[in-house]
Amino acid sequence: MSDAAIDTDAPDEAVVARSYLRAGHSLRSWLLTTDHKRIAILYLISITFFFMIGAGAAALIRLDLLTPQGDLLTNEGYNRAFSVHGIVMVWFFLIPSIPNVFGNFLIPLMIGARDMAFPRLNLLSWYIYMGSGLILLCVVFGGGVDTGWTFYTPLSSVYANGAVVAAIVAVFVSGFSSILTGLNFIVTIHKLRAPGMTWGRLPLFIWSHYATSVIFVLATPVLAITLLLVAAERLLGIGVFDPDLGGDPLLFQHLFWFYSHPAVYIMILPALGVVSELITAAAHKRIFGYWFVAYASIAIAVIGFFVWGHHMFVSGQSLYASAIFSLLSIAVAVPSAIKVYNWTATLYKGDIAIDAPLLFALSFIGLFVAGGLTGLMLAMLAIDVHVHDTYFVVAHFHYIMVGGSVTAFFGALHFWWPKITGRLYSEPLARIAAVIILVGFNVTFFPLFLMGYEGMPRRYHIYPPEFQLLQVIASGGAALLAVGYAMPLFYLGWSLVRGRRAPANPWGATGLEWTTSSPPPKHNFTRQPVVERGPYAYPLAHPASRDDG
Amino acid sequence: MMAGAPLWPQQASQHARSVDLLIASFGAMVWLLTIPVFVLMAWFAIRYRRGRTVNREHSPQSNVWIEASWSLIPFVLTLFFYVWATKLFLDIQSPPPEAVPVNVIAKQWMWKFEHQSGAREINELHVPAGRPIRLVMTSQDVIHSLYVPALRIKQDVVPGRYTSLWFTADRPGRYPLRCAEFCGTDHSVMGGALIVMRPSDFSAWLAQHQDGGADATLAARGERLFRKVGCSGCHAARSAVHAPSLDDLYGKPVPLSDGTTRIADEQYLHDAIMLPNKEVAAGYRPIMPSYGNLLDASEVGALVAYMKDREGEDSE
Amino acid sequence: MAEHATEPFHAVERQREANRFGMLIFLSSEFLLFGGIFAAAMALRLENPDGYRAAASHLRLGLGTANTAILLTSSLFAALAVEAVRGARPRRTALWLGGAALLGAGFLGIKGAEYAMEYREGLMPGTATAHFSGPAEQIFMNLYFAGTGLHALHVTIGIAVLLVAAALAHKGGERHAMLVGNAALYWHLVDIVWIFLYPTLYLAGVG
């Protein structure tokens, strides 16, 4: 990695003036931009908005669960709250979060390109996402939907009240945003790498996003057609999933989970890529076992297509199918474990700076491992029979999605904040936030494992009174977690106005994005980068730091 | 007053104890593999902190042997638990032949239990301790799921088909029974209890809860329906219509018109009554009318119980 | 006449490769869209083979076969259009593209006639006059309309794209050649999907 191509360690006026943030100030220049960096910021604003909607629903849920009778909401209201929470968080926050914000911003920079392969398609993806979001808002404020984010038939297709079809349309449309994003990423990574940037020199963030994009393109259409059939059943009374007409409700489950299991890998693979970057940058050392980690991402994506039946062990599916899905679900854990071991080995003999991004990365590893191991428990047939559809499962996937993906999102936000905005944030406040998030998260979700094993089913508005103590603890943890999530809004926002200006490479990290100014110019690099060294080629010739400039 | 949940959930069967042993052992192995990783991570982060003078020379870049070991060894260890868990799972899917069947019908938002003896219960199920019980379940509307945490068993209850669950509860007591598949508005209150009684107490209870009258048993109810809704019109030996004989049918293979053979289990009998042209018996025309609109799940259950009873009798 | 690459590409050859690659990825996702329909049809067929076959026999095999021939021929025309544009022969290109579009319209016409007949026979789900002999027939017809309807939508889009490419043939040049290539690829996908729909729906009723 040539770090002599551009010398922008000291931000000079000319470079700052050309920054992408200053290339046009009108609303039009933002809403009609084709600059991948500006599109990333548009996505950042939108997903933050949807995160707040999903978090609002979560707040209602946790408040309501303070008492066993659920005095805040009615049964119907509670059912709508958790359905909206799931739909918003899965499709309108988690799936776009890291790929559409950090993938969009960083992929061209990391490979040494000026933009994505299809810049206008990139903008179209955002508009499609916003359109689907608008439909979803109509659903939320028009009374909501009460089928759960999983839309099981025949409840969703025949029996449910609420805006089921509208919710389906919102999710259906959002899928196209995903497909186009994945398409853009794949072509960009194949065709726009800078001279010398061979596959073996790509940052692991790129490998993760490549694997994610394959899932985007191949799995999302199956969701689209499945939801289309549910809507048709609801509107036209056709009977593909309706047993009264000889249809098969299990067929829906197979089709739905064929997409939705790979979808959870869409939600975690980018996070795994982020953590590889955070660990190597903090340790100032090359990743241990680069090729193992790179291929592990591909393995997770491929094997992930063949495990969907583990959501259906008690559904009535064939026993042989269950046994096979169980075995494959254990296999898919192996590449994830490889990553965790390799990150640990990377820290060995490193030169470790303990800043907020590393704290987020270490939190991620702890919480992701807990989530992953409980996932292994769920893959065991006899155990799953007991804890399926209980709080145990809810705890498992929140450990991965929130403890994992959201933590990694915050890690990425802090790590690349200086590059994206050109400002430095308050390190002490960030470290405090990271710790509050870690503690708050565990207090919220660990009790759910206990409740689940005790037999507390999920999606219960009214619950047996013996669980109240643990529910209250969980709600208390949620309040703390909310504080932890709210803090960055303030100190990151503050840094935009009053933060110190960031040098090109405040962390002393490798990666082409750190060789250009903070923030980058509109076309990313003043000169075409030429790559001569491998990835993570520490030590750097001129290791810059936060205190430069 | 907030009473807490017990430290460990009640164990009402041998299976429950086996599952607990499985998860405890697996949990222990998992901790043994994980704690060293966490310890190492914390130790490295401290020992190799920037600014500390410590030997950083010759840090390894990659090592295929190490990678292979830490991938394969945990995987192989886990496989041991996979075999154990799968075996336990297959156990609960294979009821012993002497298991006593109980029909279960789930609907929004209640459970109906129908004993062979004719006793009917809503939301509560009384069973004798120490006897294997087989639940034959279907739903009248959406997918529900029958869950008894104390037994560590659960099974989705699906409309249009039968699913089944079996258990032997060995400790008398009252245990929660809950719906575990989201089924609409009152999902969270769709539950009740499994009441396990000493066998003598259970016989007494059963005697007290007969339906009364000549149609006490489920099979007797089924026989009454058989005549009432017209099955005997075609399926009796003296009938002018060419219809398959129903003698000694349950559990036997039935050749179908497409050349395949099906065993006449609950599902087959249910489909034959409700969706008769789905699988037509070989040599017969598809002329049987569907009873889908005439009979509910409980009545179909009674007819199936009657057909299990029929042995060699074909008179009215 | 080679054109310049547009942002962010430096070389036009690279951009051409990227466009083609992007189109192929898009088409693979389109194919998976139909995957759900094929999965549903297979599941239904396994569950109730007699009912499925009986229902499939109500489709008009002759018209379905004719449509298959029409679509295959139009795919051939599209391939010939690509040859013509590579040989820089705009008139010929436009003719082949127009021919493919015309055959596509013929396909839609026959499809529409089938739908009309099925409506009159009471086999169109969701309509007032629909009456089915049993649940298997109803579900089969549902899948038939869902699958062929979605396909017909894609045929319509394909025809529009072919016509646009034909209309712009006189311009020539790199960008137009790329458009013709992509239009032909899209048309081939439409054809391939039909090649799977035809046996799944029509041939199942034979014998």
Side-chain angles (χ1 to χ4, degrees), chain B residues 72-133:
Chain B
L72 291 176
I73 293 175
F75 180 67
V76 170
L77 288 175
T78 309
L79 279 185
F80 166 72
F81 289 96
Y82 164 74
V83 171
W84 183 4
T86 305
K87 184 177 174 314
L88 266 181
F89 176 74
L90 290 175
D91 281 348
I92 57 172
Q93 304 293 333
S94 328
E98 70 271 16
V100 176
V102 174
N103 286 1
V104 181
I105 293 149
K107 70 187 275 283
Q108 288 173 321
W109 288 277
M110 59 192 270
W111 296 95
K112 294 197 270 191
F113 299 102
E114 296 181 347
H115 297 259
Q116 296 292 295
S117 68
R120 289 196 250 189
E121 312 188 65
I122 303 265
N123 289 336
E124 286 190 346
L125 174 60
H126 288 78
V127 295
R131 302 263 320 270
I133 311 286

Side-chain angles (χ1 to χ4, degrees), chain C residues 4-191:
Chain C
H4 296 295
T6 52
E7 275 279 320
F9 291 92
H10 295 289
V12 73
E13 178 58 38
R14 192 48 82 86
Q15 183 164 19
R16 201 186 304 142
E17 285 170 23
N19 281 355
R20 175 53 43 90
F21 191 30
M23 191 61 188
L24 286 172
I25 295 176
F26 176 68
L27 293 179
S28 53
S29 84
E30 286 276 80
F31 188 74
L32 272 143
L33 186 69
F34 284 90
I37 305 243
F38 292 124
M42 189 168 78
L44 249 46
R45 189 165 177 182
L46 286 172
E47 264 188 26
N48 189 350
D50 285 337
Y52 191 94
R53 191 182 318 130
S57 65
H58 285 126
L59 297 179
R60 289 167 166 76
L61 184 63
L63 291 181
T65 311
N67 259 351
T68 309
I70 288 174
L71 220 51
L72 280 169
T73 312
S74 74
S75 247
L76 174 66
F77 284 11
L80 289 169
V82 171
E83 279 303 304
V85 84
R86 282 200 193 132
R89 310 180 72 165
R91 260 205 55 179
R92 194 159 284 209
T93 308
L95 279 173
W96 287 126
L97 288 172
L102 198 62
L103 285 175
F107 176 94
L108 287 178
I110 294 181
K111 202 88 214 85
E114 280 183 87
Y115 282 174
M117 286 187 260
E118 275 135 14
Y119 173 72
R120 274 199 297 275
E121 285 166 11
L123 287 173
M124 188 178 277
T127 55
T129 52
H131 61 273
F132 299 98
S133 65
E137 182 166 76
Q138 180 165 5
I139 294 170
F140 177 86
M141 291 313 290
N142 292 329
L143 281 180
Y144 163 79
F145 279 102
T148 58
L150 194 61
H151 178 259
L153 177 67
H154 284 75
V155 170
T156 311
I157 295 172
I159 291 175
V161 172
L162 288 168
L163 287 176
V164 166
L168 293 173
H170 63 279
K171 279 194 165 178
E174 183 63 43
R175 288 194 65 178
H176 180 258
M178 234 170 342
L179 176 62
V180 173
N182 285 341
L185 269 182
Y186 190 79
W187 197 247
H188 290 322
L189 171 85
V190 162
D191 194 20

Side-chain angles (χ1 to χ4, degrees), chain A residues 75-76 79 82-83 146-148 150 152-155 159 161 243-246 248-250 253 284-290 292-293 313-317 319 322-324 326-327 330-331 334 337-338 340-345 347-354 358 362 365-367 369-370 373 376-377 379-390 392 431 452-470 472 507 545, chain B residues 1-10 15-16 19-23 26-27 30-31 33-34 37-38 40-42 44-46 48-51 54-64 66-68 70-72 74-75 78-79 81-82 84-86 88-90 92-94 108 140-143 145 147-161 163 165 176-191 275 278:
Chain A
N75 279 358
E76 191 61 39
N79 295 343
F82 73 69
S83 301
D146 65 341
T147 58
T150 46
Y152 269 27
T153 59
L155 178 63
Y159 291 86
N161 307 315
D244 281 345
L245 296 169
D248 186 358
L250 255 70
Q253 292 180 38
H284 297 91
K285 188 171 161 275
R286 189 189 152 109
I287 189 99
F288 180 87
Y290 172 89
F292 277 89
V293 180
F313 286 150
V314 297
S315 66
Q317 82 178 350
L319 305 182
S322 290
I324 294 174
S326 170
L327 186 61
I330 295 170
V334 173
I338 288 177
V340 172
Y341 297 137
N342 285 24
W343 289 327
T344 309
L347 291 175
Y348 176 62
K349 292 195 170 177
D351 182 22
I352 303 172
I354 304 187
L358 180 66
L362 293 175
I365 296 174
L367 299 174
V369 168
L373 293 171
L376 265 184
M377 289 181 184
M380 301 285 168
L381 287 164
I383 296 179
D384 186 71
V385 169
H386 176 48
V387 293
H388 170 72
D389 262 336
T390 66
F392 193 93
R431 291 179 204 182
Y453 203 78
E454 294 274 357
M456 167 82 199
R458 60 184 288 200
R459 296 172 164 172
Y460 260 38
H461 176 223
I462 295 172
Y463 61 84
E466 61 262 29
F467 293 110
Q468 185 175 20
L469 175 62
L470 290 174
V472 169
W507 307 109
S545 76
Chain B
M1 231 348 90
M2 293 190 287
L7 212 55
W8 194 260
Q10 298 171 290
H15 178 75
V19 172
D20 287 354
L21 182 63
L22 170 63
I23 198 174
F26 187 62
V30 148
W31 273 117
L33 289 179
T34 309
V37 176
F38 287 167
L40 277 178
M41 242 185 242
F44 291 159
I46 296 169
Y48 295 101
R49 212 183 155 145
R50 175 162 269 192
V54 73
N55 182 7
R56 293 189 172 93
E57 295 290 304
H58 310 301
S59 61
Q61 298 270 309
S62 94
N63 184 320
V64 180
I66 289 188
E67 299 272 18
W70 66 37
S71 311
L72 291 176
F75 180 67
T78 309
L79 279 185
F81 289 96
Y82 164 74
W84 183 4
T86 305
L88 266 181
F89 176 74
L90 290 175
I92 57 172
Q93 304 293 333
S94 328
Q108 288 173 321
Q140 278 184 238
D141 37 45
V142 300
I143 301 180
S145 189
Y147 177 36
V148 182
L151 295 174
R152 313 285 188 273
I153 57 175
K154 172 189 295 114
Q155 177 65 48
D156 280 6
V157 180
V158 184
R161 56 181 287 187
T163 55
L165 196 56
L177 181 149
R178 300 183 178 133
C179 177
E181 182 58 56
F182 179 66
C183 55
T185 310
D186 284 341
H187 167 62
S188 53
V189 293
M190 180 172 163
L275 301 166
K278 184 172 170 191

